[in-house]
Amino acid sequence: MDKYLSINSENLRYNLDYYKKHTNKKIIAVVKNNAYGHGVKEVSNIIDEKVNMYAVSNLKEARELKEYTSKDILILDRIDDLEDIDKNLIVTIISIKHLKKMIALNKSIRIHLKVNVAMKRKGI
């Protein structure tokens, strides 16, 4: 038997509006892995006007998402191809070694520092 999951776009928009109204916080929509299988194009078309920015796993996903939005995109995993970073892409720095590599490029790149808070995962 095939399994599927559907998203009610009106409920999704409502929930985003409710959150913004009651928290006054910015929203980063995590749409990695093709929006968790729902389609990055489809999901971003539903929520683009409601979110402040996006997060994806890698540079390939960021490039695909850029076709559907002009908003900032945070790349969550380490990327080594820092030569090809656009101004609306934000690179996650996961180690001192990675940070030094980025500094050596002598290029203006927006970064997000991932800090290891004792979970033994990636981070400085």
Side-chain angles (χ1 to χ4, degrees), residues 21-77:
K21 179 180 178 183
H22 290 86
T23 67
N24 199 30
K25 303 284 184 187
K26 293 183 178 183
I27 297 174
I28 300 174
V30 180
V31 293
K32 62 185 187 173
N33 302 316
N34 197 28
Y36 296 93
H38 297 289
V40 71
K41 177 182 180 181
E42 293 78 7
V43 172
S44 64
N45 283 335
I46 293 169
I47 65 173
D48 196 61
E49 66 186 39
K50 307 289 184 185
V51 301
N52 299 91
M53 65 184 290
Y54 291 93
V56 296
S57 289
N58 53 51
L59 187 56
K60 179 181 175 188
E61 289 180 355
R63 287 181 180 142
E64 180 182 357
L65 180 58
K66 282 180 59 167
E67 295 179 29
Y68 313 116
T69 187
S70 60
K71 297 195 174 172
D72 290 340
I73 302 169
L74 171 64
I75 302 170
L76 296 170
D77 290 336

Side-chain angles (χ1 to χ4, degrees), residues 2-112:
D2 290 336
K3 295 179 182 182
Y4 70 93
L5 179 68
S6 63
I7 295 176
N8 182 311
S9 58
E10 291 305 314
N11 287 354
L12 182 55
R13 285 188 198 102
Y14 173 85
N15 289 343
L16 291 168
D17 286 339
Y18 183 90
Y19 181 80
K20 279 187 132 175
K21 179 180 178 183
H22 290 86
T23 67
N24 199 30
K25 303 284 184 187
K26 293 183 178 183
I27 297 174
I28 300 174
V30 180
V31 293
K32 62 185 187 173
N33 302 316
N34 197 28
Y36 296 93
H38 297 289
V40 71
K41 177 182 180 181
E42 293 78 7
V43 172
S44 64
N45 283 335
I46 293 169
I47 65 173
D48 196 61
E49 66 186 39
K50 307 289 184 185
V51 301
N52 299 91
M53 65 184 290
Y54 291 93
V56 296
S57 289
N58 53 51
L59 187 56
K60 179 181 175 188
E61 289 180 355
R63 287 181 180 142
E64 180 182 357
L65 180 58
K66 282 180 59 167
E67 295 179 29
Y68 313 116
T69 187
S70 60
K71 297 195 174 172
D72 290 340
I73 302 169
L74 171 64
I75 302 170
L76 296 170
D77 290 336
R78 175 193 169 118
I79 61 169
D80 291 315
D81 187 11
L82 294 169
E83 296 284 343
D84 212 16
I85 300 298
D86 297 350
K87 65 181 177 189
N88 68 324
L89 299 181
I90 303 165
V91 176
T92 298
I93 303 300
I94 63 168
S95 68
I96 296 295
K97 182 179 177 183
H98 192 219
L99 179 60
K100 288 178 181 178
K101 181 178 180 180
M102 189 203 64
I103 291 169
L105 288 173
N106 198 25
K107 180 179 178 182
S108 178
I109 298 174
R110 296 170 63 199
I111 66 167
H112 166 77

